[in-house]
Each structure stands twice: as C-alpha cells, then as structure tokens.
Amino acid sequence: MTSTPPANAHRLPLRVYYEDTDFSGFVYHASYLRFMERGRTELLRGLAGDQSEMHAEGAGIVFVVRKMNLDYLKPARMDDLIDVVTWSSELRGASMHLAQEVRRGDETLVRAEVVVACVRDGRAIRLPEGLRAALSRTHRTIATVP
C-alpha cells in the first residue's frame, strides 16, 4: 500500500498524550484507529456537516467501517505532534474508499485503506450526491503494492 496524499487532502493535527501510549511509551496500536476515526469524521464534517445532522436530515443515514487495512511503519511517542491525513481513493455506489496516513512531519507512521459504507435501516444505500461530489474533490488513486 503506497500513496501520496493530494494537496487538498484533509489534515487533522493531533498531539499524542500519555493515554494514547502503552507501557513501552509508544502509541498503542488501537489508538491509531481512534486518530483515524477522528480524521474521517472531520473530513465528513468539513464536506457535508455533522454526521448527526446527516443522520437526522437524511432519514437515518449512517456511515460504518466495512473494511480496514493498516500498515504500521514507525512508532509515535508521547508528546509527538502528528497529522492524520485523509482523502478519497475510490467512490462506489454505497461506499467510499478512503486512504489515510498518520504522519509526524514528513514521516509516514501508519497507512490505512478504509472502506466506509453508507447505511440506512441496516441496508447499504447510495452515497448522497452532494457528499459524492465533495469527496471527489479530495480524490487520488492509490496504488497497492502486493
């Protein structure tokens, strides 16, 4: 999984706190999932508003992670300043494929490919057109290396 974020990719700056680390002083692997969830949430908020509003106005639309592939490259430590970089890599009928990187400066610490499904009443539905158009502006194809 290799990628280069587009210039207009969403960036969320974060600081690593003690609670994010394990006994070794490195960021605990599951903490990266929380960091990336925040990145995806803020991307959607910036493009389409609060998810709670989309849920209410869209008659119950929610977004669920269907699949995630992660590559842990380097560790982060307490007090590091990191950025969660998020962009669209592919849009399908009911799903958005997002690429994410957790970065410290120019270093990529973690890479992820995430498939998020648009769901209403437990069933996949087509992504709303407004969101699809907004996501296409952050689009960059990612190349997967076996």
Side-chain angles (χ1 to χ4, degrees), residues 36-122:
M36 289 184 282
E37 177 68 31
R38 291 178 200 160
R40 292 189 304 275
T41 297
E42 292 302 326
L43 169 72
L44 289 175
R45 183 186 318 278
L47 296 176
D50 292 341
Q51 288 187 46
S52 58
E53 290 175 14
M54 282 192 281
H55 179 74
E57 293 171 7
I61 290 176
V62 295
F63 298 100
V64 297
V65 172
R66 183 178 171 277
K67 180 179 178 182
M68 182 179 270
N69 184 21
L70 287 99
D71 193 3
Y72 296 96
L73 304 170
K74 297 179 182 181
R77 294 183 171 88
M78 187 170 58
D79 291 327
D80 279 354
L81 293 173
I82 59 174
D83 288 304
V84 179
V85 185
T86 307
W87 68 97
S88 167
S89 60
E90 183 179 353
L91 298 172
R92 293 194 177 173
S95 65
M96 53 186 137
H97 295 229
L98 303 174
Q100 292 190 280
E101 292 182 352
V102 177
R103 302 178 65 83
R104 180 179 52 224
D106 291 335
E107 290 182 291
T108 301
L109 307 177
V110 178
R111 285 191 179 117
E113 296 174 7
V114 186
V115 177
V116 178
C118 183
V119 174
R120 181 187 298 138
D121 297 326

Side-chain angles (χ1 to χ4, degrees), residues 20-22 24 26-36 68 70 72 76 102 110:
D20 302 317
T21 63
D22 60 18
S24 70
F26 295 121
V27 170
Y28 182 64
H29 72 278
S31 295
Y32 290 106
L33 298 175
R34 288 194 311 273
F35 298 158
M36 289 184 282
M68 182 179 270
L70 287 99
Y72 296 96
V102 177
V110 178

